[in-house]
Amino acid sequence: MSDKMLEDKSAASLQTFISAQERHDVEAVIACFAPDIVVRSPITQRVRFEGVEQASDLFRRIFDVISGIRFYETIGEGRSCVVFWRGRVGRHHIEEANLLRFDERGLVSEMTVFMRPVLGLLVLAVELASSLAGRHSFLRGIVVRLMLAPMATLFRLGEPAVIALTASGVPVSDRGGASSSAADDRGSK
């Protein structure tokens, strides 16, 4: 297959992937994945999700927890690219970068996830991990929630004090979770 054909197939998969995530369409997202997809978590390096079945379960749970996904930047093309989006976990802002690698059919074969800010990631960890544990039993879900929730609470309560104590950088109002980047000022997606 020529580089141009691969680039066209990858670009088509990427556009479908972006549109499907914004619509929370798990089946359309999974259709963009190679059968042996590997998804690397932003929460821990001790677990990765392999294959369409695990990726499908993961995305169903992600879409139950994350709302308002809107992609705003794509960098790269061909065999790999990075896409960026913003959304919410409950009332908490979340921003994600996905490093995507495409196979020879133009399907996503690897997805490495990076996330910010810490509070959004911690809240996502609580919700997602307790949901995954809850598949096995209600009690497991509760135990995982009880293990992780204090970290998110401590960070949420302590963050203003840490910012005041470090007295560095420029304080930014939450503005409902929106970033104050130049891209926002231009009115990007």
Side-chain angles (χ1 to χ4, degrees):
M1 178 182 303
S2 74
D3 287 345
K4 175 66 174 145
M5 287 176 62
L6 174 60
E7 192 172 305
D8 290 346
K9 284 185 174 190
S10 299
S13 287
L14 177 61
Q15 289 311 308
T16 300
F17 177 77
I18 287 171
S19 174
Q21 281 204 60
E22 288 182 342
R23 293 186 327 267
H24 284 203
D25 184 343
V26 173
E27 300 310 319
V29 169
I30 297 305
C32 299
F33 288 163
D36 58 348
I37 179 74
V38 173
V39 180
R40 291 181 179 81
S41 169
I43 298 168
T44 179
Q45 67 183 21
R46 294 178 181 218
V47 173
R48 67 175 177 242
F49 300 87
E50 297 181 346
V52 170
E53 186 177 321
Q54 288 185 1
S56 178
D57 182 48
L58 175 65
F59 272 83
R60 285 182 204 294
R61 293 170 193 289
I62 287 170
F63 292 158
D64 284 344
V65 175
I66 298 176
S67 63
I69 295 172
R70 291 293 170 257
F71 283 79
Y72 64 90
E73 183 84 31
T74 301
I75 299 172
E77 57 187 34
R79 294 295 296 246
S80 63
C81 69
V82 179
V83 293
F84 298 86
W85 60 261
R86 292 183 183 101
R88 301 197 64 80
V89 179
R91 62 183 186 183
H92 302 284
H93 170 74
I94 193 113
E95 191 167 13
E96 183 172 300
N98 302 143
L99 171 59
L100 304 174
R101 297 189 191 280
F102 297 89
D103 68 8
E104 65 282 348
R105 295 162 293 183
L107 298 173
V108 179
S109 59
E110 293 180 38
M111 179 178 176
T112 303
V113 180
F114 304 90
M115 218 171 254
R116 64 169 298 278
V118 171
L119 183 55
L121 177 59
L122 288 172
V123 172
L124 176 65
V126 171
E127 297 301 323
L128 191 56
S130 63
S131 174
L132 289 166
R135 288 179 309 185
H136 304 288
S137 78
F138 179 75
L139 183 58
R140 277 189 186 189
I142 295 296
V143 168
V144 168
R145 182 173 293 280
L146 290 172
M147 291 171 65
L148 295 177
M151 287 188 289
T153 300
L154 285 173
F155 190 89
R156 181 178 52 79
L157 295 173
E159 184 182 33
V162 170
I163 291 168
L165 290 168
T166 59
S168 60
V170 177
V172 177
S173 71
D174 186 24
R175 294 188 315 153
S179 167
S180 62
S181 69
D184 286 337
D185 295 338
R186 290 192 308 266
S188 68
K189 294 186 213 174

